[in-house]
């Protein structure tokens, strides 16, 4: 289910044309919240929307509004449900959102590697593929970023 959820997260991310930092923070929030709280299958989309809303408020200059998320979910949830779940997630995470995501390390590693555009795109491609892999959660973000760089360099 996580792979499907992350796939939907990425699809919505591209639809709203958000920054990469928002994507990585959204997935971090979802993973962390799901590790602390059982969520019914029907509520997974709600958790994702709220995590993306939180990440947008944290990372974006112009964040999408709650009504945008209601529209994207075909009015499956009300404004009150979304805001209530957002508050619940923030309280469960104890408002701890400042974390080094893999993207922060990727930016630095690409710069250090003095990567050309082809290599840079391949690195980000492997990193996004890694977002969908549940078994990579056990590794720290710097290791996942280093793995993406290494895999891209070996591939090219």
């Amino acid at each position: 289910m996580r792979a499907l959820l992350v796939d939907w997260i990425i699809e919505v991310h591209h639809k709203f044309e958000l920054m990469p930092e928002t994507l990585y923070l959204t997935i971090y929030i979802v993973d962390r919240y799901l590790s602390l709280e059982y969520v019914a299958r029907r509520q997974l989309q709600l958790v994702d929307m709220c995590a993306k809303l939180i990440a947008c408020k944290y990372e974006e200059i112009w964040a999408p509004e709650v009504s945008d998320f209601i529209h994207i979910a075909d009015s499956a949830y009300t404004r009150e449900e979304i805001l209530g779940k957002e508050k619940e997630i923030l309280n469960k995470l104890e408002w701890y959102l400042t974390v080094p995501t893999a993207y922060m390390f990727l930016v630095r590693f690409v710069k250090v590697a003095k990567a050309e555009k082809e290599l840079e795109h391949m690195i980000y491609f492997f990193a996004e593929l890694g977002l969908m892999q549940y078994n990579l959660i056990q590794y720290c973000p710097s290791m996942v970023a280093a793995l993406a760089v290494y895999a891209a360099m070996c591939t090219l």
Side-chain angles (χ1 to χ4, degrees):
M1 284 304 297
R2 183 184 180 278
L4 292 173
L5 183 64
V6 171
D7 186 47
W8 191 80
I9 290 170
I10 292 171
E11 186 179 322
V12 171
H13 177 82
H14 288 297
K15 183 175 176 79
F16 283 135
E17 298 177 1
L18 302 171
M19 297 187 322
E21 295 91 335
T22 307
L23 174 65
Y24 285 84
L25 183 59
T26 300
I27 293 172
Y28 168 81
I29 291 169
V30 168
D31 286 340
R32 191 148 160 252
Y33 180 73
L34 292 178
S35 72
L36 299 171
E37 188 76 27
Y38 172 76
V39 176
R41 190 175 187 168
R42 177 190 150 358
Q43 296 290 310
L44 284 176
Q45 187 180 29
L46 177 61
V47 169
D48 163 55
M49 287 190 312
C50 294
K52 187 167 290 302
L53 185 61
I54 293 166
C56 286
K57 289 177 181 178
Y58 194 82
E59 294 286 353
E60 298 289 331
I61 295 171
W62 302 106
E65 296 180 9
V66 176
S67 59
D68 297 326
F69 287 103
I70 292 171
H71 175 72
I72 206 113
D74 293 330
S75 300
Y77 306 102
T78 65
R79 179 178 177 80
E80 291 73 28
E81 285 177 305
I82 292 172
L83 294 176
K85 183 58 87 172
E86 178 187 26
K87 182 179 174 184
E88 182 182 321
I89 290 171
L90 286 169
N91 287 332
K92 195 70 167 178
L93 300 181
E94 298 176 350
W95 293 77
Y96 183 70
L97 300 173
T98 306
V99 294
T101 62
Y103 184 78
M104 293 175 186
F105 290 102
L106 285 170
V107 170
R108 181 69 184 141
F109 292 166
V110 165
K111 190 175 183 179
V112 168
K114 297 180 182 159
E116 295 178 8
K117 281 296 176 191
E118 185 180 23
L119 178 60
E120 183 178 344
H121 292 302
M122 185 65 78
I123 290 169
Y124 290 123
F125 172 75
F126 280 130
E128 280 196 28
L129 280 178
L131 288 174
M132 300 185 78
Q133 302 302 316
Y134 180 70
N135 56 353
L136 286 181
I137 292 175
Q138 64 184 325
Y139 299 106
C140 59
S142 60
M143 291 296 286
V144 174
L147 175 67
V149 173
Y150 179 73
M153 291 178 112
C154 289
T155 302
L156 295 177

